[in-house]
Amino acid sequence: MDLIIPTISQGLLWSILAIGVYLTFRVLDIADLTVEGSFPLGAAVAASMLVKGSDPFTAIVLAAIAGMLAGVVTGLLTTKLKIPALLAGILTMIALYSVNLRIMGKANLSLLQADTIFSRFSWISEEKQFVVLGVGFAVVLLISLLNYWFFGTEIGAAIRATGFNPHMIRANGVNTDVTVILGLLLSNGLVAVSGALVGQSNGFADVGMGVGTIVIGLASVIIGEVLFGTRSFWNCLLSVILGSIVYRIVIAVVLELGMPPNDLKLFTAILVALALAMPLIQSKMKSRKAVR
Amino acid sequence: MLQIDHISKTFNPGTITEKTALSGLSLHLPPGDFVTVIGGNGAGKSTLMNSIAGTFLVDNGSITIDGQNITKWPEHRRAKYIGRVFQDPMMGTAAGMMIEENLAIASRRGRTPSLRWSAPESNRTHFRELLASLDLGLENRLESKVGLLSGGQRQALTLLMATMANPKLLLLDEHTAALDPKTAEQVLRITTNIVESRHLTTLMITHNMRDALRCGNRLIMMHDGRIIIDISGEEKKHLTVKNLLQMFEKAAGSEMDNDSLLLS
Ligand SMILES: Nc1ncnc2c1ncn2[C@@H]1O[C@H](COP(=O)(O)OP(=O)(O)OP(=O)(O)O)[C@@H](O)[C@H]1O
Ligand SMILES: [Mg+2]
């Protein structure tokens, strides 16, 4: 029971990644693997700045900018060079592995001695878990409001329309290369912020911390959609955030039940595969019922 | 309004699937011309429209709209001047967005999107009036997702979207072909209403000879990437399907082999 607060906090910090994944996977209709590189990129940028004594806010903003640049690279690869989006994301992800090592100078950077966003807000509570919860909640709220506003604007609507029907939005005078690049930029900016926050809350940044993040993001998106609905853009945002929290709770529960932590990624992959197959399974069940 | 000079387009040049879809085609449309386009399968009708709309660039020749040479412009830039309705009812709208949002996007066609609110309430009265003019009961469904509409409703909505920002040229590529006869008739009626009341310069491809004869003030027939028949004014008014077939045989030097054209 004493795990509940840290679990929700982790869910909040990771939900920023989930929103990023939602923006590409659902809004743009692209499976973007850049995420696996931009998440540790965010952590690496923030950590290397913090170790040098930089201000945590500046560190997070720079992490976001780095993530945005990574998104732009994938965007240029797929729109200008016509490389399929999936492959473009993989290329950026691989390249970022080297980039992240260069930024950190080594594979793992400890933040135990450094001033972080959480130590800045230690006045919220004596217990760190409540600090993380408070900061996580504030950041997620801010990001949700910004997203809601942005995707209601003309540019945001153009990006959403690009995902639904690129022909339509081109016929209405919008350059879809620009909207795709913008979408990838925003998505990876958010993912990097998530990486920066998770790194600070864990107390370290590691080049390997991106492995499997796309699947975690997808799991959150799908769980959220199934449990909390997709009626409107606001509803979708909320679903994704709650999905991320539920995912963390599920993981905490199965670990509590004795599943070895090394099996976590296998478990998550199976969970996502099942969830993605859900529509097919449901229609099979229905048609079987109809036959009877 | 539209000036096309000697455009050519060859797909997959230098391969065994090489196909010349347009060969040195020229066409001039004065403002307000409503032209129906007919021709057999593979005659190059859609290729002509896609060339004008900028889906791809032509190999040779030039395309000018209202004095602007747009030959090298990308598709999205030409959209400022061109409204389009596709054959597939899915193509012209964003299914996952509300009717209101689709209309809002279409209402600013050709203008670079900004950070203003996309679908402000203040648009609603105007949108409702436009939808009411379709007479399909859509005026009370501004917040419905377009994906919930029938094919005919979607085509009518696309037509509205293609024309609401006053295009200099309207391109219709068999936009009623995917609809059942009754709905097709309805959408065609809406089309002629909009085009004629606003004197829109229009190119309308159809497989239905009867529609081609009764709509518009001018008719062109394509064959092998060229225009082989071009009739307008009084002559068009008195044209019959039989005349047309005879003219085709004379011009193309072969029998009309396309059943779908005869059916109507
Ligand atoms: N993108 C493409 N790639 C290769 N070949 C193409 C392409 N588009 C059209 N063609 C070929 O060009 C020729 C003309 O095609 P087009 O679609 O313009 O004909 P159409 O007159 O519209 O015919 P239909 O009445 O069947 O729609 C056809 O032989 C077609 O196979
Ligand atoms: Mg065609």
Side-chain angles (χ1 to χ4, degrees):
Chain A
M1 226 33 233
D2 47 317
L3 273 176
I4 190 80
I5 298 296
T7 305
I8 293 176
S9 306
Q10 285 298 305
L12 283 172
L13 300 186
W14 283 86
S15 75
I16 304 165
L17 166 118
I19 294 174
V21 170
Y22 171 78
L23 292 186
T24 47
F25 186 63
R26 285 297 190 225
V27 174
L28 276 185
D29 200 16
I30 287 176
D32 175 34
L33 288 179
T34 315
V35 171
E36 304 245 326
S38 51
F39 185 80
L41 172 68
V45 168
S48 56
M49 304 261 312
L50 292 171
V51 168
K52 287 195 203 103
S54 149
D55 167 66
F57 292 101
T58 318
I60 292 172
V61 169
L62 274 175
I65 293 173
M68 290 178 181
L69 285 177
V72 170
V73 169
T74 303
L76 289 173
L77 290 176
T78 187
T79 57
K80 300 300 175 200
L81 302 186
K82 307 286 175 217
I83 297 172
L86 191 68
L87 190 53
I90 292 175
L91 292 175
T92 313
M93 168 189 98
I94 295 295
L96 282 175
Y97 189 84
S98 300
V99 172
N100 292 341
L101 273 173
R102 269 191 187 262
I103 290 172
M104 296 201 291
K106 50 185 174 179
N108 188 297
L109 215 52
S110 168
L111 287 171
L112 292 179
Q113 314 300 329
D115 189 18
T116 69
I117 186 89
F118 302 110
S119 57
R120 274 296 163 90
F121 284 92
S122 54
W123 50 265
I124 292 178
S125 162
E126 304 215 324
E127 284 187 68
K128 191 186 172 208
Q129 54 171 335
F130 289 109
V131 177
V132 178
L133 185 70
V135 170
F137 183 79
V139 175
V140 169
L141 185 67
L142 181 72
I143 284 175
S144 306
L145 290 173
L146 280 175
N147 268 293
Y148 180 71
W149 164 75
F150 179 75
F151 283 96
T153 65
E154 295 177 2
I155 297 177
I159 295 176
R160 282 166 56 223
T162 303
F164 286 120
N165 187 348
H167 296 288
M168 173 268 190
I169 195 69
R170 271 198 297 272
N172 281 291
V174 172
N175 185 346
T176 48
D177 286 358
V178 174
T179 48
V180 166
I181 292 172
L182 256 181
L184 287 165
L185 172 149
L186 283 177
S187 164
N188 285 289
L190 290 174
V191 171
V193 168
S194 181
L197 291 174
V198 168
Q200 292 178 62
S201 120
N202 289 350
F204 65 88
D206 188 285
V207 274
M209 71 193 282
V211 178
T213 44
I214 182 71
V215 184
I216 293 174
L218 289 175
S220 310
V221 170
I222 298 167
I223 292 172
E225 286 177 346
V226 170
L227 294 184
F228 307 105
T230 57
R231 280 181 309 280
S232 61
F233 189 73
W234 183 247
N235 182 200
C236 287
L237 277 177
L238 207 63
S239 294
V240 169
I241 296 163
L242 294 176
S244 170
I245 294 173
V246 170
Y247 169 76
R248 288 290 146 189
I249 293 174
V250 171
I251 295 298
V253 167
V254 293
L255 288 178
E256 195 74 4
L257 291 177
M259 193 179 79
N262 283 343
D263 290 346
L264 258 188
K265 293 210 156 63
L266 176 64
F267 173 80
T268 308
I270 292 172
L271 192 74
V272 171
L274 279 178
L276 286 174
M278 220 40 189
L280 184 73
I281 296 169
Q282 275 171 343
S283 72
K284 280 255 163 75
M285 302 261 261
K286 255 188 214 142
S287 61
R288 194 169 291 176
K289 262 189 204 142
V291 168
R292 277 179 202 163
Chain B
M1 185 56 65
L2 174 69
Q3 178 83 46
I4 297 176
D5 287 306
H6 304 101
I7 57 166
S8 306
K9 179 71 195 177
T10 301
F11 290 108
N12 311 317
T15 67
I16 46 163
T17 56
E18 176 173 303
K19 171 75 202 175
T20 300
L22 291 178
S23 42
L25 181 147
S26 298
L27 177 67
H28 171 67
L29 260 58
D33 245 17
F34 181 2
V35 183
T36 54
V37 184
I38 56 173
N41 291 107
K45 305 181 295 295
S46 297
T47 308
L48 171 62
M49 288 226 172
N50 292 335
S51 301
I52 299 171
T55 312
F56 41 69
L57 298 180
V58 291
D59 304 333
N60 289 305
S62 74
I63 305 171
T64 307
I65 288 188
D66 207 13
Q68 279 270 10
N69 188 333
I70 61 161
T71 316
K72 296 266 152 59
W73 286 21
E75 186 179 8
H76 63 88
R77 197 167 161 211
R78 299 185 194 197
K80 186 173 176 184
Y81 298 139
I82 300 174
R84 267 156 98 192
V85 185
F86 311 89
Q87 177 172 357
D88 179 356
M90 301 295 167
M91 287 268 275
T93 46
M97 297 172 87
M98 297 184 277
I99 292 182
E100 181 180 17
E101 294 178 292
N102 275 272
L103 286 171
I105 286 172
S107 70
R108 53 175 180 266
R109 179 159 42 77
R111 183 162 73 60
T112 310
S114 72
L115 285 176
R116 270 185 295 243
W117 198 243
S118 172
E121 304 253 333
S122 54
N123 280 341
R124 288 199 171 168
T125 324
H126 176 51
F127 288 173
R128 275 208 193 91
E129 280 168 16
L130 284 174
L131 289 168
S133 73
L134 297 178
D135 204 15
L136 295 170
L138 293 179
E139 56 273 19
N140 298 317
R141 296 180 62 187
L142 277 180
E143 291 186 46
S144 295
K145 296 245 168 95
V146 170
L148 300 173
L149 304 184
S150 69
Q153 288 173 326
R154 279 179 84 157
Q155 277 315 59
L157 179 64
T158 310
L159 202 54
L160 205 58
M161 289 169 59
T163 52
M164 68 193 294
N166 281 321
K168 294 190 187 295
L169 179 68
L170 178 63
L171 300 178
L172 310 169
D173 188 352
E174 295 190 51
H175 68 304
T176 61
L179 309 174
D180 66 75
K182 203 167 138 249
T183 317
E185 185 61 38
Q186 203 173 11
V187 171
L188 193 66
R189 203 173 53 236
I190 296 171
T191 309
T192 48
N193 276 347
I194 293 179
V195 171
E196 281 164 10
S197 68
R198 297 185 25 210
H199 307 289
L200 294 174
T201 313
T202 303
L203 271 176
M204 179 175 96
I205 299 178
T206 175
H207 257 151
N208 186 317
M209 281 230 196
R210 221 164 43 86
D211 291 348
L213 289 173
R214 71 194 165 119
C215 296
N217 62 315
R218 182 171 167 192
L219 178 148
I220 62 179
M221 181 186 271
M222 289 186 64
H223 182 66
D224 268 348
R226 282 170 296 120
I227 294 174
I228 54 167
I229 294 175
D230 185 343
I231 301 166
S232 52
E234 282 303 307
E235 199 186 346
K236 170 164 186 294
K237 278 192 193 137
H238 300 116
L239 206 61
T240 63
V241 173
K242 203 162 151 242
N243 296 153
L244 212 49
L245 290 175
Q246 282 166 351
M247 293 172 82
F248 173 82
E249 276 161 34
K250 217 169 122 212
S254 67
E255 289 265 308
M256 175 69 81
D257 55 355
N258 183 358
D259 293 339
S260 60
L261 265 176
L262 290 168
L263 276 178
S264 47

